[in-house]
Amino acid sequence: MTFARITGTGSYLPAKVLTNKDLESMVDTSDEWIFTRSGIRERHIAAADEQASDLALHASRKAIEAAGLQPSDIGLIVLATTTPDMIFPSTACLLQSKLGIHGCPAFDVQAVCTGFVYALATADMYVKAGHCKHALVVGTEVFSRILDWKDRGTCVLFGDGAGAVVLSQSDRPGVLAAKLHADGAHTGILSVPGTVCSGKVEGSPFVTMDGSAVFKLAVRVLGEVAEEVLPAAGLDKSQVDWLIPHQANIRIIEAAAKKLGLGMDKVVATVDRHGNTSAASIPLALDVAVRDGRIRTGHHVLLEGVGGGFTWGAVALRW
C-alpha cells in the first residue's frame, strides 16, 4: 500500500517587522491592548515588490532542499492563498514558473485560514493514488494588502509569510487522516466583500470581522474536528505529541488545547512573532518546530485550521 509522508518543510517571512509599538503611531491602539487580546507582539510585512508567489518561492525552495529533491522532482503543486498575485493565472502556476517546473498539475485552493489543511488533504489523496511521487503544498499570504490600517480591530492581527511542505510517496504511514468542513451560512462574520467589476472595486476591499462570533465558532469547530479526525487516525487524545493550530489568536489556541487536554507545552505557537498569516500560519509553525527539533520521528502531530467561509478542518500526521 502506498502512503504519503511529509519529507521536507520550509518557510519564509518578509524582512520588515511591524511591532505593536509601531502600530501605536498608526492607529488608536497599544501594545498592551493588542497583546492581551491576541497574544501578538509583532508581524512581518511584505515589501512593495513582494507578491504571494515570491514568498512561496523562498519557502518552497527550502522545503524541496530539506526533502533532498530538485524542483524537477515535483509532480504536483497545490497552493493555498487568499491573496493571489492576480485574478489569473493561479499563484500556483506563477510559482511553478519561478521554480522552473514544467508540465505537472498546479492549482490554487481558496479556503482562507484553513487553506493549507485543505491543500494538504488534497495532495495526500493525489499522492496515495499514485499520480505523483512528490507534491509541493504551500500556504502563502500578503494579508497586509487587504487590511484597513485605520481599523484597529483587524489591522493589528494579521501578517505576511509563506510555508511549504513536500509530500512524498512512502511505504510508511505519514498522513493518517484528514477531515474537512465548510458552512457558507457563516460568511458574514469574516470576509472581504469587495468585487472587481468593469475595472472598479465594488464594495469594501478590506477584511471585515465580527471578532466575538469568529471566536465562538472557531473554538467550537476546532474541538469538534479534533474529536472526529483522531479516531479516524486510530489515535487517542493522549497520543498527540504536538498540536499545531491555525495561529489566529492565543486565546483560541489555548481553548483548542484545553479541549484536547493538552498543556501549552505540547502546542506550537508562533502567533506572538508572526501574527495571523492565514493559510501560511500552520506550515510556518510546522517548519519552526521541525527545524528546532521539537518534532521528531515517530511523533503524532495534529494540524487544525479554521477560517472565513466558514471553513475548518484537521490533519493527523505521524512524523
Side-chain angles (χ1 to χ4, degrees):
M1 185 174 179
T2 300
F3 301 99
R5 297 182 64 85
I6 292 176
T7 54
T9 66
S11 62
Y12 174 77
L13 293 163
K16 181 180 178 181
V17 176
L18 186 67
T19 68
N20 291 350
K21 287 291 186 181
D22 295 330
L23 283 167
E24 291 179 353
S25 64
M26 298 169 59
V27 68
D28 181 18
T29 192
S30 69
D31 175 58
E32 181 184 10
W33 190 90
I34 298 169
F35 184 73
T36 57
R37 286 162 177 77
S38 68
I40 299 169
R41 290 290 191 191
E42 62 186 36
R43 71 287 294 147
H44 292 251
I45 305 296
D49 60 350
E50 282 186 310
Q51 305 296 326
S53 65
D54 297 314
L55 276 57
L57 178 62
H58 292 295
S60 297
R61 283 173 170 164
K62 292 177 182 177
I64 292 169
E65 180 182 10
L69 301 174
Q70 297 296 320
S72 58
D73 295 317
I74 299 299
L76 169 71
I77 300 173
V78 187
L79 184 147
T81 189
T82 311
T83 52
D85 289 21
M86 57 187 74
I87 293 175
F88 75 86
S90 70
T91 304
C93 283
L94 298 174
L95 172 63
Q96 181 188 44
S97 176
K98 290 178 179 182
L99 284 168
I101 301 171
H102 306 280
C104 75
F107 56 89
D108 288 0
V109 170
Q110 220 300 32
V112 198
C113 302
T114 321
F116 181 78
V117 171
Y118 266 58
L120 185 61
T122 300
D124 172 57
M125 290 185 283
Y126 200 97
V127 172
K128 284 179 178 176
H131 295 303
C132 72
K133 291 184 178 180
H134 307 286
L136 178 65
V137 186
V138 187
T140 183
E141 300 283 14
V142 283
F143 240 69
S144 59
R145 309 277 165 81
I146 56 172
L147 298 176
D148 179 355
W149 290 97
K150 296 179 182 179
D151 177 10
R152 74 168 187 169
T154 56
C155 74
V156 302
L157 301 176
F158 296 92
D160 302 334
V165 304
V166 173
L167 195 65
S168 302
Q169 284 186 351
S170 175
D171 57 3
R172 295 186 296 127
V175 177
L176 303 178
K179 297 293 180 180
L180 306 177
H181 295 281
D183 188 345
H186 301 289
T187 56
I189 64 174
L190 179 59
S191 67
V192 178
T195 60
V196 177
C197 181
S198 301
K200 297 180 180 179
V201 175
E202 297 185 356
S204 173
F206 301 124
V207 173
T208 62
M209 181 175 67
D210 179 341
S212 177
V214 168
F215 180 87
K216 292 176 183 177
L217 181 60
V219 170
R220 177 174 64 83
V221 298
L222 288 177
E224 291 174 352
V225 78
E227 295 281 358
E228 183 184 13
V229 77
L230 290 176
L235 298 175
D236 183 79
K237 294 178 184 179
S238 63
Q239 293 177 281
V240 175
D241 294 294
W242 295 104
L243 171 65
I244 306 181
H246 167 49
Q247 306 288 310
N249 179 305
I250 193 63
R251 293 186 297 159
I252 294 175
I253 294 171
E254 289 170 345
K258 185 176 180 180
K259 283 183 175 289
L260 285 168
L262 295 176
M264 288 300 290
D265 60 329
K266 293 292 186 179
V267 179
V268 179
T270 58
V271 67
D272 60 324
R273 309 185 300 282
H274 299 168
N276 181 345
T277 55
S278 190
S281 78
I282 292 174
L284 271 167
L286 175 63
D287 185 53
V288 168
V290 169
R291 290 178 184 268
D292 69 18
R294 272 179 285 178
I295 295 177
R296 301 189 299 275
T297 301
H299 279 179
H300 293 121
V301 182
L302 178 61
L303 312 180
E304 288 189 303
V306 58
F310 227 74
T311 65
W312 63 98
V315 176
L317 306 169
R318 180 175 296 134
W319 210 256

